[in-house]
Amino acid sequence: MTELQRLRAEHAPALLAFECANRAYFAQSVPDRGDAYFAEFDTRHGELLAGQAAGRDHLHLIVGGDGEVLGRINLIDVEDGSAELGFRVAKEAAGRGLATTAVRQVLVLAADTYGLRTLRAAATADNTGSRTVLLRTGFLPVGETVLDGRPAIRYERDLAAVRQQPAGA
């Protein structure tokens, strides 16, 4: 059984293990975090928690039944009722619907708990999995961009309709 959890300090070891184990897999479709991210992980984790405490970000993990991190779903750069959605799922958990389910849960949190009105996201043109998740969860393509030197598509999601749905919808 998986659970969506808000990022906490005690998640650090499992989160680092997740990022290390999936680094090469993620680099195939999203910009690599770079060596400094791993070398300075504890400092970075503290900064993420501080940003969350200040309301600038809302960070979530998909946690498996054994406490292992299977994915991340983040809302960053919260400002004026809007935020940027980012997500990644472990290689061994990909293709099971975890990202779609977690993004749907975060949409409800974004609207009902965090008071957001719109979300933005982007995915590289060759990242079929992420683009599929975005479309399945109601994001609409709004233009093109470049991520880490690669062509990408920008998406937006109006959250007004999410507020009208029950939390389990």
Side-chain angles (χ1 to χ4, degrees), residues 83-98:
E84 181 86 15
L85 171 78
F87 59 92
R88 53 179 59 196
V89 173
K91 182 177 182 177
E92 75 269 5
R96 298 186 345 210
L98 290 177

Side-chain angles (χ1 to χ4, degrees), residues 7-8 62 64 69 73 76 83 85 88 104 107 117 120-121 130 135-136 150-151 162:
L7 185 66
R8 299 185 308 268
I62 304 168
V69 174
I73 312 287
I76 63 166
L85 171 78
R88 53 179 59 196
R104 286 183 177 139
L107 292 176
R117 295 182 305 278
R120 303 171 311 280
S130 289
L135 292 171
R136 281 183 182 159
R150 297 160 59 184
V162 173

Side-chain angles (χ1 to χ4, degrees), residues 43-164:
T43 300
R44 177 71 178 131
H45 191 68
E47 291 169 351
L48 290 173
L49 292 170
Q52 181 166 260
R56 292 187 304 269
D57 305 308
H58 301 290
L59 313 169
H60 309 86
L61 300 179
I62 304 168
V63 179
D66 293 329
E68 75 280 15
V69 174
L70 299 174
R72 301 178 78 159
I73 312 287
N74 296 326
L75 300 173
I76 63 166
D77 300 330
V78 173
E79 187 176 354
D80 296 328
S82 183
E84 181 86 15
L85 171 78
F87 59 92
R88 53 179 59 196
V89 173
K91 182 177 182 177
E92 75 269 5
R96 298 186 345 210
L98 290 177
T100 300
T101 298
V103 168
R104 286 183 177 139
Q105 290 173 331
V106 167
L107 292 176
V108 173
L109 287 170
D112 293 344
T113 303
Y114 308 141
L116 299 176
R117 295 182 305 278
T118 58
L119 295 181
R120 303 171 311 280
T124 56
D126 62 349
N127 188 342
T128 304
S130 289
R131 290 185 12 253
T132 299
V133 168
L134 291 169
L135 292 171
R136 281 183 182 159
T137 57
F139 281 81
L140 300 174
V142 295
E144 297 176 358
T145 190
V146 176
L147 294 176
D148 201 33
R150 297 160 59 184
I153 302 167
R154 290 183 299 111
Y155 295 85
E156 288 187 4
R157 175 65 157 91
D158 183 339
L159 298 176
V162 173
R163 285 191 182 87
Q164 298 170 4

